[in-house]
Amino acid sequence: MKRSCCFVRFAEFYLMSAILFMSVSCDILGKVEDPGTSGSKGELRISFASDQSVTRKADLDIPDTSDFHLTVISSTGSIIYDGVYSASPEAIMVDPGSYDVKVVSCDFKVPAFSSPQYGDDQCVVVPSGEIVNVRLMCTQINSGVRLKVDRGFLDAYPDGVLFLKSSQGKLMYGYSEKRIAYFRPGNVSLLLSSGGKDEVLLTRNLQTRQILVLGVSVAQNSSSSAFQGIGGVTVAVDTAKVWTDDS
């Protein structure tokens, strides 16, 4: 009887010890898996720099940064955040690593009138357990062209059509058009279509934030009755109105 009683008590002690060990083990595992207590996570805090110089122009209206589209993508391609900047968390918890943080004021893929695009794109590294503050700048990231067509050009080529063209597409630029045509940075060509053929009048490589103003007129020695090709047209860069917008 004593041996049986001792065996029962030993079995009870072993069972209680096993339950206690499992409870402690589960508690330890739970703490390891909790990113809030492990310290393995880092924080991204994203905001716009408040001390940047803002230069406004009459025809360049800077949009509200609250409406900008924000994307945060890891180096492996995982999307951490994709949405409106004003709706993003104050602190974004992320694993240690590098991240691409990008904001844009609007979607811009093909040439368009009156479509300045503002934004910023930064690559940041987030160490384990640390807070990284990202200060975004609101700068124009596309470029633009405005034409000033002389009255004499309209008289010489009443049926002619002017186009601005890049690798992403082209825009017809009417003689009376006053708006700025926006393009991605790169080569932009001015074309004249007249008399059944197209001629490239000028090609310029536009930089980010550059707004180029071109004056289009007819050379004095050209005939007004027929298209004389490139030699009959003068395209002048208005250096007084070539600017980069630092907003």
Side-chain angles (χ1 to χ4, degrees), residues 133-151:
N133 292 299
V134 182
R135 296 288 182 264
L136 298 170
M137 300 294 291
C138 179
T139 60
Q140 185 183 323
I141 55 180
N142 58 359
S143 51
V145 180
R146 173 184 282 169
L147 299 184
K148 295 172 62 177
V149 184
D150 185 75
R151 179 65 188 179

Side-chain angles (χ1 to χ4, degrees), residues 147-156 162 175 214-218 234:
L147 299 184
K148 295 172 62 177
V149 184
D150 185 75
R151 179 65 188 179
F153 186 87
L154 175 60
D155 295 336
L162 291 172
Y175 289 169
L214 299 175
V216 183
S217 60
V218 178
T234 299

Side-chain angles (χ1 to χ4, degrees), residues 185-207:
N187 288 334
V188 176
S189 298
L190 173 62
L191 284 71
L192 173 61
S193 179
S194 181
K197 65 176 182 178
D198 297 338
E199 292 284 353
V200 177
L201 304 181
L202 182 78
T203 298
R204 284 288 184 271
N205 185 274
L206 299 185
Q207 305 299 316

Side-chain angles (χ1 to χ4, degrees), residues 75-98:
S75 58
T76 60
S78 299
I79 299 176
I80 309 302
Y81 182 82
D82 185 5
V84 180
Y85 167 73
S86 59
S88 63
E90 181 179 352
I92 302 177
M93 304 298 296
V94 294
D95 292 322
S98 60

Side-chain angles (χ1 to χ4, degrees), residues 6-134:
C6 290
F7 178 80
V8 172
R9 289 182 178 180
F10 176 78
E12 290 177 349
F13 173 78
Y14 179 81
L15 180 61
M16 292 298 293
S17 298
I19 293 174
L20 180 61
F21 175 78
M22 291 176 62
S23 177
V24 172
S25 299
C26 290
D27 185 57
I28 292 175
L29 289 175
K31 290 181 179 179
V32 171
E33 294 176 350
D34 182 7
T37 58
S38 65
S40 63
K41 294 281 186 176
E43 287 186 24
L44 270 176
R45 294 180 177 267
I46 303 170
S47 63
F48 281 90
S50 59
D51 58 347
Q52 63 180 357
S53 175
V54 177
T55 303
R56 288 184 178 273
K57 296 184 181 297
D59 50 356
L60 291 177
D61 295 326
I62 300 174
D64 187 350
T65 54
S66 299
D67 298 328
F68 279 38
H69 189 92
L70 170 66
T71 55
V72 180
I73 302 177
S74 70
S75 58
T76 60
S78 299
I79 299 176
I80 309 302
Y81 182 82
D82 185 5
V84 180
Y85 167 73
S86 59
S88 63
E90 181 179 352
I92 302 177
M93 304 298 296
V94 294
D95 292 322
S98 60
Y99 295 86
D100 181 57
V101 180
K102 181 178 181 179
V103 288
V104 292
S105 60
C106 63
D107 188 26
F108 185 86
K109 295 181 179 178
V110 296
F113 285 105
S114 303
S115 300
Q117 185 187 42
Y118 296 88
D120 195 7
D121 192 350
Q122 298 184 26
C123 182
V124 297
V125 177
V126 182
S128 175
E130 294 191 17
I131 298 174
V132 175
N133 292 299
V134 182

